[in-house]
């Protein structure tokens, strides 16, 4: 094994791509087993906080606790920010009060809010008690805003200046400031009532003569975020308008904080992840680190819903029991029609849910999209109808059976395409999360229509 302790950069503790090197992980766990703190620190030093968080998530609870305690004062607050929410409580419990206090002091206010908002009151008190009074008051103020709002997402550390200042005054101010945010992209211009009136990028400040006024080099596009705005809407605004940072204002339009692109993109990623999980009938908060019982509780409700839909499809089949017993080929072929419809419906549904989330699917283009999905379903249906007609003739020697399954295929794929668009739109209109509920409804429609169309046509044509 290579001597990882001599690696100057994090790339040398990496496997292919950006995965943690298994040898490095093994070496770290060996240092924990032998209680070699010096070697552990040497091995952990090249790792980014996100990598250490991944490491803590991958090892078992016993090794995680031993590693944290041996690592001691070297534990960085950024690691807590990068950790999966389901593990934060366990990691905080494993940290000594002194290490925890030092770790959270390094964090910006928005990271502290994100860290403690899901913890119990005792742990919240522990973390808040470790902060300087000014930081503690800022965090407590942020916690008074609604959950999942801009007020929870913003950081209170803001670099602002009067709009009449010159570039030279702004540069002198930043050089003389006792403390600036670790990362910031804009200087926010404010009027005498502390209302934001513009943003100036650091690049424009550093590249402009000292005598130039900040107002004259402010960005043309400027957006403020109300403190109560839902964080999903905030993430959409950042993505839509290509924002890097945006000031947050209270009900009187006064500056209270700033949201940066990293926080907005985190929200966007979380919402995308939730949509993917919910499309599969899995709770959006499910994690690999969840306990077995918690995972069962989250998954079993929608499995129950799927059971109900399967029973409905079976009831349709039961209506044609006599026909199936007389013509066994129907039992062989009918799952094909339902399966193709289910897959087509899922394709249409996935596109619709994503379009609703990004606001690309609206009332103005809804009917055009419905017509498009209907046409796509028709064309796909005809293409596969031809294939299945040939299969029916060659397999069972019955042109009539080939015609029946071909017609059923066309009907079901058209209905599947329409259902995949219409059902999530209707659910969204009535306030139900389309990502969570649409799948069960679309599956029910495609199964019922598929079985009914195929078996019904078979009864009329073949029997």
């Amino acid at each position: 094994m290579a001597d990882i302790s001599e690696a100057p950069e994090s790339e040398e503790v990496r496997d292919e791509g950006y995965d943690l090197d298994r040898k490095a992980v093994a070496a770290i766990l060996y240092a924990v087993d032998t209680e070699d703190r010096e070697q552990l620190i040497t091995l952990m030093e090249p790792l980014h906080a996100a990598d250490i968080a991944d490491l803590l998530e991958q090892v078992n609870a016993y090794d995680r606790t031993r590693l944290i305690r041996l690592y001691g004062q070297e534990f960085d607050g950024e690691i807590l920010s990068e950790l999966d929410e389901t593990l934060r409580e366990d990691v905080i419990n494993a940290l000594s009060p002194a290490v925890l206090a030092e770790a959270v002091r390094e964090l910006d206010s928005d990271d502290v809010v994100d860290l403690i908002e899901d913890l119990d009151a005792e742990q919240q008190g522990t973390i808040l008690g470790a902060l300087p009074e000014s930081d503690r008051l800022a965090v407590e103020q942020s916690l008074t805003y609604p959950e999942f709002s801009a007020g929870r997402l913003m950081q209170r550390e803001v670099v602002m200046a009067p709009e009449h200042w010159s570039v030279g005054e702004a540069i002198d101010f930043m050089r003389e400031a006792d403390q600036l945010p670790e990362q910031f992209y804009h200087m926010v211009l404010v009027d005498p009532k502390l209302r934001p009136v513009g943003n100036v990028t650091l690049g424009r400040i550093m590249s402009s003569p000292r005598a130039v006024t900040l107002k004259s080099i402010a960005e043309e596009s400027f957006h403020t975020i109300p403190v109560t705005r839902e964080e999903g809407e905030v993430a959409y605004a950042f993505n839509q308008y290509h924002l890097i940072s945006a000031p947050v204002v209270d009900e009187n339009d006064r500056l209270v904080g700033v949201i940066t692109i990293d926080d907005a993109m985190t929200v966007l990623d979380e919402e995308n992840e939730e949509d993917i999980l919910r499309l599969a009938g899995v709770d959006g908060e499910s994690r690999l680190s969840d306990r077995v019982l918690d995972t069962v509780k989250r998954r079993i409700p929608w499995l129950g819903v799927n059971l109900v839909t399967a029973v409905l499809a079976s009831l349709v089949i039961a209506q044609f029991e006599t026909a199936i017993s007389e013509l066994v080929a129907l039992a062989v072929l009918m799952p094909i029609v339902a399966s193709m419809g289910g897959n087509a419906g899922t394709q249409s549904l996935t596109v619709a849910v994503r379009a609703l989330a990004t606001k690309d699917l609206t009332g103005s283009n809804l009917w055009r999209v419905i017509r498009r999905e209907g046409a796509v379903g028709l064309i796909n249906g005809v293409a596969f109808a031809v294939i299945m007609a040939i299969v029916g003739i060659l397999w069972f020697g019955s042109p009539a059976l080939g015609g029946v399954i071909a017609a059923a295929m066309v009907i079901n794929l058209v209905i599947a395409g329409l259902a995949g668009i219409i059902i999530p739109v209707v659910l969204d209109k009535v306030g139900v999360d389309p990502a969570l509920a649409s799948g069960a409804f679309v599956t029910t429609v495609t199964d019922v229509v598929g079985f009914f169309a195929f078996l019904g046509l078979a009864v009329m044509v073949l029997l």
Side-chain angles (χ1 to χ4, degrees):
M1 184 178 70
D3 186 1
I4 301 170
S5 63
E6 296 179 1
E9 295 180 355
S10 61
E11 285 78 358
E12 296 190 35
V13 294
R14 285 296 185 178
D15 219 329
E16 291 185 9
Y18 294 98
D19 297 328
L20 285 172
D21 188 340
R22 289 173 295 176
K23 292 182 179 180
V25 174
I28 290 170
L29 293 179
Y30 180 74
V32 172
D33 287 336
T34 58
E35 297 186 359
D36 188 344
R37 185 171 185 273
E38 182 178 345
Q39 178 67 1
L40 176 64
I41 293 173
T42 301
L43 292 170
M44 299 276 278
E45 185 178 3
L47 295 176
H48 188 276
D51 300 327
I52 297 176
D54 286 345
L55 172 64
L56 294 176
E57 291 168 7
Q58 292 173 18
V59 301
N60 61 49
Y62 175 67
D63 287 336
R64 182 165 53 245
T65 300
R66 292 191 303 149
L67 189 157
I68 291 169
R69 290 176 177 170
L70 186 63
Y71 199 38
Q73 291 289 343
E74 303 297 325
F75 196 94
D76 190 341
E78 290 294 331
I79 301 172
L80 293 173
S81 297
E82 298 289 349
L83 269 175
D84 190 289
E85 294 176 5
T86 58
L87 287 180
R88 284 179 183 171
E89 187 172 348
D90 293 339
V91 171
I92 289 173
N93 286 333
L95 292 170
S96 68
V99 172
L100 178 60
E102 185 62 31
V104 297
R105 287 194 190 103
E106 302 172 1
L107 297 175
D108 291 332
S109 58
D110 59 323
D111 292 326
V112 178
V113 171
D114 180 59
L115 176 64
I116 72 174
E117 60 184 351
D118 296 321
L119 300 178
D120 58 39
E122 181 178 353
Q123 287 185 319
Q124 285 187 356
T126 300
I127 292 176
L128 289 173
L131 298 173
E133 184 177 0
S134 59
D135 293 342
R136 177 173 54 81
L137 291 175
V139 171
E140 289 176 338
Q141 175 63 38
S142 294
L143 290 173
T144 63
Y145 296 116
E147 191 174 9
F148 307 118
S149 68
R152 292 286 187 99
L153 193 62
M154 70 180 181
Q155 66 181 54
R156 305 294 293 234
E157 300 84 4
V158 184
V159 181
M160 58 182 175
E163 57 183 326
H164 63 268
W165 268 15
S166 67
V167 166
E169 289 174 308
I171 292 175
D172 292 342
F173 166 76
M174 288 187 286
R175 285 175 175 170
E176 296 170 3
D178 293 333
Q179 188 173 3
L180 292 174
E182 185 174 340
Q183 290 185 348
F184 66 101
Y185 312 100
H186 290 109
M187 176 171 276
V188 182
L189 304 185
V190 295
D191 66 12
K193 294 185 178 180
L194 285 184
R195 294 177 299 195
V197 295
N199 269 342
V200 182
T201 64
L202 294 182
R204 292 297 301 274
I205 291 175
M206 300 307 298
S207 62
S208 300
R210 289 181 59 88
V212 171
T213 61
L214 294 177
K215 187 176 182 179
S216 66
I217 58 173
E219 291 187 319
E220 293 182 4
S221 178
F222 178 65
H223 298 269
T224 60
I225 307 292
V227 72
T228 56
R229 182 66 53 84
E230 198 271 328
E231 62 178 21
E233 295 291 324
V234 174
Y236 173 79
F238 268 75
N239 190 51
Q240 179 75 4
Y241 302 115
H242 310 294
L243 304 179
I244 298 176
S245 69
V248 181
V249 296
D250 62 15
E251 63 276 7
N252 297 314
D253 290 330
R254 290 177 301 189
L255 181 66
V256 292
V258 65
I259 295 175
T260 54
I261 189 171
D262 56 328
D263 293 319
M265 291 304 100
T266 297
V267 172
L268 202 60
D269 288 342
E270 289 174 350
E271 294 204 335
N272 289 341
E273 180 183 350
E274 287 179 3
D275 285 346
I276 292 172
L277 291 172
R278 287 173 175 172
L279 281 171
V282 179
D283 188 281
E285 297 182 359
S286 294
R287 298 291 185 273
L288 288 176
S289 56
D290 287 348
R291 297 179 177 87
V292 172
L293 188 58
D294 293 334
T295 302
V296 170
K297 288 179 179 178
R298 288 190 172 115
R299 295 186 185 180
I300 202 168
W302 286 103
L303 289 176
V305 172
N306 287 334
L307 176 61
V308 172
T309 62
V311 169
L312 291 175
S314 298
L315 290 175
V316 173
I317 296 173
Q319 304 307 308
F320 300 93
E321 184 177 352
T322 302
I324 295 172
S325 63
E326 293 181 12
L327 192 57
V328 178
L330 298 180
V332 175
L333 296 175
M334 66 182 186
I336 298 176
V337 179
S339 176
M340 289 294 292
N343 287 332
T346 300
Q347 290 175 337
S348 180
L349 166 66
T350 303
V351 172
V353 169
R354 182 60 186 147
L356 286 169
T358 58
K359 304 185 188 301
D360 291 330
L361 180 57
T362 63
S364 61
N365 64 357
L366 175 60
W367 289 111
R368 178 175 59 81
V369 174
I370 290 175
R371 289 194 300 271
R372 188 199 70 169
E373 290 299 325
V376 169
L378 178 61
I379 295 171
N380 285 339
V382 169
F384 287 103
V386 172
I387 296 173
M388 289 311 302
I390 296 173
V391 170
I393 294 171
L394 296 179
W395 192 352
F396 297 99
S398 173
L401 179 59
V404 166
I405 193 171
M409 188 72 73
V410 173
I411 293 171
N412 204 23
L413 262 65
V414 171
I415 296 298
L418 296 175
I421 288 291
I422 294 173
I423 288 175
V425 169
V426 171
L427 291 175
D428 186 59
K429 291 293 184 183
V430 299
V432 178
D433 187 347
L436 183 61
S438 298
F441 289 110
V442 171
T443 300
T444 302
V445 169
T446 55
D447 284 352
V448 169
V449 170
F451 289 137
F452 189 81
F454 179 56
L455 297 175
L457 288 171
V459 169
M460 289 188 295
V461 174
L462 302 175
L463 299 176

